[in-house]
Amino acid sequence: MMSETLEAAVHVTGWERIEPWFVVRCTLESDSRNVPTSVIVKSLRAHPAGFRTDPQQVLTERAALEFVSDLGLDLAPRLFAGQQEAGVLIMEDLAPRKVLFDLIRDKDPATDEGLSAFARALAELGTGTVGRSGQYYERRSVLGPVDPQADRLRLMGWGWSETRRFCETLGVPIAGAAETEMSAVVDAVVDPGPFLAFSNGDAGANNYLVEGSDGRIIDFEFAGYRHALADAVCLYVPGPMWMTVSDPIAEGYERIYRAALSEGIAEAADDKRYGAGIAVACIAFAVERLHRFPKLDARMPGHESRRQLIWTLESAIRAAEAHSSHAHASGWLARVADSLRRRWPDVDGAFDRSAGYSLRV
């Protein structure tokens, strides 16, 4: 397969598993100068809980990497080959770039430069793809059925009505102005207007490899078109692997992101439009994470996933407040967070940006 793709005789001389992803680095030998010394081979997982075992993820990543390459965007690894039947992709090895998550965790001096590059890369992926959804979905549909609306709704999760019932159980039903604003959040997720752009579907420090200011976004298994500012949420709100986040306003990452995004989406330069958009994205993400409440509630006291969920809600609230947007919806989320703190007395303390990190809690 590699020999056919690289159009040269290739010999695999070694391999190693690259954590935390389900990928393998293969070292190569060849008489041809066009053959790289190593490649990354990515395949479906063999996970007992079915985590990322869907063959559709391979098709999506293949279409996404080809799409980004077609547009001339140097923001993702190059795809050398894909074998649909085996669920395998062979792509560019991005070494010696490092995982941004590791830089942040280790308090590496290169963190600031890496975060700045990350903010720009997220924006450039948006500006470079805005208005081209038809081109992407045409490519993706050749490989199999695809639902563009599902890609947008993934930001909100599939259980908004169920999440509402969870909150009623907590004694915090949503009604009145808060319900009106949450309806607007749902509408904005379904129809982002000028903010509709391409995303890898899992933006985060664990999916960005960087060396200095030269970085690449990886992991396009859930790629698709959705609200562009959904990718910026990871700068404001803790994600599954990023327990604490920077202050993107005070530390300048929001300014970097907005400046780059404004080059292709003019509305990002408008304080009101951007503020409403980032509030929508952060609130939608927090509500999606809130859908995990029954699972977390069943865990042993002291499990840090409970703290993470509360911090996620409180971080989304702060992002909305900082942009003076969606005050009623964020006020409702504050009441939900307070209710969770009372229900889980094992969760102590206010949000602490230096508290540390966790892996998929």
Side-chain angles (χ1 to χ4, degrees), residues 98-157:
K98 299 179 180 179
V99 185
L100 178 58
F101 175 85
D102 293 344
L103 299 183
I104 298 169
R105 180 197 58 204
D106 298 338
K107 297 180 172 57
D108 191 294
T111 295
D112 179 66
E113 186 176 18
L115 275 167
S116 297
F118 179 48
R120 280 192 296 271
L122 294 177
E124 288 169 3
L125 183 61
T127 60
T129 58
V130 68
R132 298 178 181 271
S133 61
Q135 183 177 339
Y136 167 70
Y137 284 111
E138 180 179 1
R139 174 180 284 280
R140 176 61 182 83
S141 63
V142 170
L143 300 177
V146 62
D147 182 355
Q149 186 178 37
D151 287 340
R152 296 193 294 274
L153 285 173
R154 185 171 288 115
L155 170 61
M156 196 73 185

Side-chain angles (χ1 to χ4, degrees), residues 16-83:
E16 62 174 322
R17 170 79 184 275
I18 308 298
E19 300 284 358
W21 309 282
F22 201 79
V23 303
V24 172
R25 172 179 287 124
C26 292
T27 53
L28 310 177
E29 280 187 358
S30 176
D31 293 333
S32 173
R33 294 182 179 180
N34 296 325
V35 175
T37 57
S38 63
V39 294
I40 295 297
V41 179
K42 185 172 184 179
S43 63
L44 288 174
R45 280 74 163 164
H47 195 282
F51 181 65
R52 293 187 176 180
T53 59
D54 185 354
Q56 296 298 313
Q57 294 164 203
V58 174
L59 305 182
T60 295
E61 184 148 25
R62 177 176 180 172
L65 294 179
E66 291 174 343
F67 174 64
V68 171
S69 177
D70 285 349
L71 295 180
L73 300 175
D74 199 16
L75 297 170
R78 288 176 295 158
L79 179 67
F80 294 131
Q83 192 173 74

Side-chain angles (χ1 to χ4, degrees), residues 156-324:
M156 196 73 185
W158 296 102
W160 167 228
S161 60
E162 192 173 16
T163 301
R164 291 184 63 165
R165 290 197 295 273
F166 298 158
C167 293
E168 290 172 1
T169 299
L170 289 167
V172 194
I174 187 169
E179 185 172 25
T180 299
E181 284 192 351
M182 277 305 305
S183 294
V185 168
V186 174
D187 289 344
V189 168
V190 174
D191 182 11
F195 287 105
L196 181 65
F198 191 66
S199 164
N200 79 326
D202 192 12
N206 57 306
N207 285 330
Y208 187 67
L209 304 186
V210 64
E211 186 73 20
S213 60
D214 180 23
R216 299 290 186 277
I217 300 168
I218 64 170
D219 202 351
F220 284 76
E221 295 174 347
F222 297 103
Y225 270 77
R226 62 177 187 167
H227 202 303
L229 299 186
D231 280 1
V233 167
C234 60
L235 298 175
Y236 298 82
V237 179
M241 289 188 66
W242 197 354
M243 278 292 290
T244 58
V245 296
S246 64
D247 182 339
I249 299 175
E251 296 179 16
Y253 305 125
E254 179 183 274
R255 175 184 52 78
I256 292 169
Y257 175 76
R258 282 187 67 182
L261 192 66
S262 298
E263 293 183 9
I265 302 176
E267 289 78 4
D270 182 276
D271 289 344
K272 186 174 182 180
R273 295 292 296 273
Y274 180 84
I278 202 65
V280 161
C282 289
I283 290 171
F285 178 81
V287 168
E288 192 275 333
R289 297 294 286 173
L290 187 58
H291 190 253
R292 303 171 71 241
F293 162 71
K295 182 177 181 179
L296 275 52
D297 198 46
R299 288 176 172 169
M300 294 293 291
H303 198 286
E304 63 182 7
S305 59
R306 294 179 172 185
R307 178 178 60 157
Q308 184 193 48
L309 177 59
I310 291 173
W311 284 5
T312 295
L313 298 175
E314 293 174 349
S315 296
I317 293 163
R318 275 192 296 277
E321 290 176 345
H323 294 90
S324 302

Side-chain angles (χ1 to χ4, degrees), residues 1-12 28-30 35 90:
M1 182 177 176
M2 290 189 191
S3 296
E4 294 176 1
T5 300
L6 299 172
E7 299 181 345
V10 176
H11 178 59
V12 178
L28 310 177
E29 280 187 358
S30 176
V35 175
I90 300 174

